[in-house]
Amino acid sequence: MRGFPFVFPVKEVTYKVIGDRKLNFYIFEPDSKHHNRTAILFFIGGSFGKGPRTPADFQHHAEYLSTKGIDAICVDYRNGHDEGFTPIQAICDVKSAVRYLRENSLEFGVDPEKIVVCGSSAGGYIAVSSIMFDHMNNDGDNISINHIPNALVIFGAGMDGVDIMTRRYPELLDQAREMSPYHNEKKCLPPTLWMIGTEDDLLEQNKAFVDRMIAKGNDITWVTYDDMEHGFFLYGRHENRPLNETKLKIEEYLKSIAF
């Protein structure tokens, strides 16, 4: 099992088991244990390869939001380190995570109608896809439990499933269009905050997708960060200025929608 470099104390809870693989929540609980708290689930990017990205990459955002009374959860999900991995597995894991949290909301002390999903890059693709595409579910999931989060936060993410499958998963090319948010715009997203750097290679694609989704009736707040690249918000980049700015932006956005 891979070790994740959390520098803050976290509570581990297994939300799903696939064979020998345990998928965990790494939970940052607020000091104040009032009931009906907001909860945010973080899905990191970089998961389509075997790079260094781990759930701990979002720990600084999570730790900050926990000090504001929010249950902040870094989510482990199946990724390029898992044998036979495809994005379909990760999309199903997002749904499972939301369902597990909602089904156990009383135990967690969270409001089942104030569940937020945050995803970056590949994590953003699977977050949006989990909402848009109803046909992907794992056996064993209780599909009677709603898998749609109540709010969404995205950091620059590839929305063109045809491009993703062509480059990385050619065995899925026959399904690529039906796995592509970019080719299936519709009114389906909860209130969404979308953040991206102006130097991100995905800027043009993201802007076109967001504009078309807004035209379909989705409520999306679009925020750009000047001269910032893909992954600009990660710890250690730009002396952590964008990390701190995006922590505050998420907090501000959640307050604006009464979360």
Side-chain angles (χ1 to χ4, degrees):
M1 179 177 176
R2 300 174 69 206
F4 300 147
F6 285 97
V7 298
F8 302 103
V10 294
K11 177 182 177 182
E12 295 185 29
V13 171
T14 299
Y15 73 92
K16 181 175 178 177
V17 179
I18 300 289
D20 296 330
R21 178 76 153 91
K22 289 184 177 181
L23 300 177
N24 288 342
F25 285 166
Y26 296 89
I27 305 169
F28 294 75
E29 291 183 313
D31 291 334
S32 173
K33 294 298 195 298
H34 63 277
H35 291 293
N36 295 322
R37 301 186 297 272
T38 294
I40 183 167
L41 298 163
F42 288 100
F43 294 84
I44 195 63
S47 54
F48 293 167
K50 293 187 177 182
R53 304 270 69 90
T54 81
D57 284 358
F58 262 129
Q59 64 181 309
H60 296 277
H61 289 83
E63 191 276 334
Y64 174 78
L65 291 172
S66 73
T67 69
K68 304 303 176 182
I70 294 172
D71 265 33
I73 303 169
C74 297
V75 182
D76 182 24
Y77 64 93
R78 285 174 290 176
N79 56 69
H81 289 272
D82 292 286
E83 186 177 354
F85 170 77
T86 75
I88 295 172
Q89 297 171 351
I91 293 167
C92 290
D93 291 345
V94 179
K95 294 184 180 185
S96 298
V98 173
R99 285 177 173 136
Y100 183 89
L101 184 57
R102 187 164 275 140
E103 184 175 21
N104 296 280
S105 58
L106 185 62
E107 179 182 342
F108 280 93
V110 305
D111 187 334
E113 299 306 316
K114 289 187 176 180
I115 294 174
V116 184
V117 163
C118 175
S120 66
S121 194
Y125 164 78
I126 63 171
V128 172
S129 295
S130 75
I131 296 167
M132 293 189 79
F133 306 130
D134 292 335
H135 63 285
M136 301 179 196
N137 292 281
N138 271 134
D139 292 342
D141 267 18
N142 184 349
I143 60 174
S144 68
I145 299 172
N146 184 12
H147 66 276
I148 307 294
N150 306 99
L152 183 64
V153 177
I154 299 295
F155 289 93
M159 291 291 105
D160 188 341
V162 175
D163 172 65
I164 293 169
M165 304 315 148
T166 299
R167 289 186 293 107
R168 290 185 173 270
Y169 302 96
E171 70 275 18
L172 295 178
L173 269 176
D174 62 334
Q175 305 175 53
R177 197 171 185 88
E178 65 185 55
M179 294 173 61
S180 177
Y182 194 78
H183 295 90
N184 291 279
E185 299 97 340
K186 60 183 177 179
K187 189 177 188 301
C188 61
L189 298 182
T192 299
L193 170 64
W194 202 291
M195 295 179 282
I196 191 167
T198 60
E199 295 302 310
D200 194 322
D201 290 343
L202 294 169
L203 178 65
E204 184 176 340
Q205 181 196 117
N206 276 220
K207 186 65 167 65
F209 175 73
V210 167
D211 285 348
R212 293 202 296 265
M213 288 293 281
I214 290 173
K216 294 289 187 181
N218 294 281
D219 177 5
I220 304 175
T221 299
W222 171 261
V223 178
T224 57
Y225 289 83
D226 290 342
D227 303 317
M228 292 291 110
E229 75 286 358
H230 195 69
F232 69 97
F233 57 90
L234 293 169
Y235 179 79
R237 296 195 181 183
H238 307 286
E239 299 178 330
N240 291 326
R241 288 191 303 273
L243 181 149
N244 292 324
E245 289 174 10
T246 55
K247 288 191 300 189
L248 294 173
K249 181 58 70 174
I250 295 172
E251 179 191 10
E252 173 189 286
Y253 181 74
L254 295 182
K255 284 182 178 177
S256 76
I257 59 172
F259 278 37

